Amino acid sequence: MFCLVDCNNFYVSCERVFNPKLEKKPVVVLSNNDGCVISRSNQAKALNIKMGALYFKNKDFFKERGVCVYSSNYPLYADMSNRVMSVLKRFCPDIEIYSIDEAFLDFKTIYHKDLLLYAKEIKETVKQWTGIPVSVGLASTKTLAKAANLYAKKNFECQGAFEINDSTDIEALLSEISPEDIWGIGKQYLSILKANNINTALDLRNASDVWIKKNLTISGLRTVWELRGRSCIAFEMVSSPKKQIGCSRSFPSAVTKLSELEEAVSAYVSAAAKKLRRQNSLTSYVGVFLLTNCFNDRPQYSNRAGLCLVEPSSYTPELVGAAIKVLKVIFREGYRYKKLGVFFKDISSLENFQYTFSKSQNNRNRQNSLMNTVDKLNSSLGTDALKVASQGISQSWRMRQNKLSFRFTTRWSELPVVK
DNA sequence: TCTGGGGTCCTAGGACCC
DNA sequence: TCTGGGGTCCTAGGACCC
């Protein structure tokens, strides 16, 4: 039996934990650069504020209706996520952390006469210990557990918990669900399904294997099998190391100068290299991409390129150097750039590292211990306490976050104050 | 002025091999 | 008239997720 625990309106809920005045009010959290809405309280949903709604277009409406608006505060959300996950681990050792706000639990080792009751206990404990409201769904496959979770969220009488088991009228349940609400069915698949008169999750479950495989690939077929109760999406307790690591940001306003793009590239490579080292990996490929703003009528340009390294590395200065080289290749004078990103691929493990003749082992060891020290200092003194000089000082390209709440749980200087 | 960021997996098609 | 067959590997693009 799988149990999916999903935090309700997660980012909004995090803001509410430290600001109880937001309870019962319409609240939204915005994307980077305060661009669009990415999390909404139920009251905000009731005002018909859509996911992805543009802030600058809705500013007046928000003001009029008393909508509380926040920039996304990722250090806070990441820390709250860790708290929720650590509570879940106490209830079930077999846990797959699927995203910042949800986790699958495999109840195979849980001996409890009523698993739904146990799930409710989890839900209440998470709320009491962290302040975050969650919903839980139980079923024999991950896809069905997702559906059960959605059902629990949408039906008030479930009180946030629902189980699909042998006594459930599964056909009735699935006939009420639209295919797009099934995990694994997105926009494109939905339009293919609709065009073929598959209008409910039940129709999807009953579709022919051959047709599904042909039109929705093997991934779609797995989804269908899971709907039939045949578990075929693996439960992954240990997260495997990332195969691709990147960092990209939109600029709050257009950037035209190469010197500013070089600063941004340096900052993004530093951030990505830190992630690389955290999973004890090295990269052999440094890629950079660059885009103008496709939402306006000015001349457009976008490009990407990369560089294969002679020897895999996680040494920030070396990676920054490579990225700046690539940036110079794709940069064209005269365009107004909106977004820049860097990415590493061909990622390998530090343990499997094979030395070549290009660098002495001694040199390599010095670089590793330097990066170690930098990472340690930055984690205790704050991100970018120590950084490469090419990141620049003023950083006018940095994103806009005008509505940021405090990092209540990760900065001594921003602790909540009790009066 | 203004439209997020970070991932994974699958497939078709091309290059290449013998 | 007449131009093989079987395979692997790589990549770009497209789908999906949160």
Side-chain angles (χ1 to χ4, degrees), chain A residues 111-251:
Chain A
Y111 297 99
H112 193 285
K113 61 180 187 296
D114 186 344
L115 289 176
L116 183 61
L117 206 64
Y118 190 65
K120 282 183 177 164
E121 198 183 320
I122 295 177
K123 179 180 112 72
E124 270 143 37
T125 309
V126 171
K127 172 72 179 160
Q128 191 178 354
W129 290 6
T130 68
I132 300 291
V134 300
S135 303
V136 292
L138 273 78
S140 58
T141 69
K142 287 166 98 177
T143 303
L144 286 173
K146 275 270 200 185
N149 189 289
L150 186 74
Y151 189 85
K153 273 205 171 80
K154 285 194 169 169
N155 293 276
F156 184 72
E157 67 279 6
C158 296
Q159 298 178 314
F162 185 70
E163 175 178 6
I164 295 175
N165 56 30
D166 294 343
S167 60
T168 310
D169 185 349
I170 184 86
E171 303 217 337
L173 185 86
L174 293 181
S175 67
E176 295 294 312
I177 300 176
S178 166
E180 68 201 294
D181 289 333
I182 294 297
W183 189 42
I185 305 298
K187 257 189 177 162
Q188 293 305 310
Y189 286 0
L190 180 71
S191 67
I192 296 172
L193 294 172
K194 284 258 158 86
N196 287 275
N197 209 23
I198 293 173
N199 297 306
T200 68
L202 183 63
D203 296 341
L204 179 62
R205 191 194 74 156
N206 294 338
S208 101
D209 284 10
V210 175
W211 187 87
I212 292 289
K213 170 96 193 312
K214 183 164 168 251
N215 291 279
L216 271 55
T217 78
I218 187 74
S219 326
L221 189 55
R222 277 191 206 117
T223 297
V224 169
W225 284 348
E226 286 240 327
L227 286 177
R228 293 178 193 156
R230 173 175 168 189
S231 180
C232 44
I233 298 176
F235 184 82
E236 288 166 28
M237 276 185 54
V238 279
S239 54
S240 35
K242 304 245 179 296
K243 296 167 183 170
Q244 184 172 331
I245 288 175
C247 177
S248 66
R249 294 282 179 277
S250 298
F251 302 122

Side-chain angles (χ1 to χ4, degrees), chain A residues 272-290:
Chain A
K274 191 174 144 196
K275 296 185 210 171
L276 192 63
R277 292 190 294 269
R278 197 162 49 204
Q279 68 165 36
N280 285 317
S281 294
L282 304 165
T283 181
S284 300
Y285 183 93
V286 178
V288 178
F289 64 90
L290 195 55

Side-chain angles (χ1 to χ4, degrees), chain A residues 245 269 272-273 276-277 281-288 305-326 342-348 353-359 364 367:
Chain A
I245 288 175
V269 168
L276 192 63
R277 292 190 294 269
S281 294
L282 304 165
T283 181
S284 300
Y285 183 93
V286 178
V288 178
L307 198 65
C308 296
L309 303 178
V310 177
E311 190 174 271
S313 169
S314 63
Y315 183 56
T316 299
E318 183 180 3
L319 301 175
V320 166
I324 288 180
K325 250 188 222 167
V326 177
V342 303
F343 58 97
F344 304 145
K345 55 178 194 174
D346 299 342
I347 288 172
S348 56
F353 181 72
Q354 304 244 335
Y355 286 97
T356 66
F357 291 116
S358 67
K359 249 182 224 164
R364 172 67 62 179
Q367 293 183 348

Side-chain angles (χ1 to χ4, degrees), chain A residues 332-349:
Chain A
R332 298 282 178 279
E333 195 80 48
Y335 289 100
R336 298 164 55 81
Y337 294 102
K338 179 61 185 168
K339 185 171 181 175
L340 173 84
V342 303
F343 58 97
F344 304 145
K345 55 178 194 174
D346 299 342
I347 288 172
S348 56
S349 152

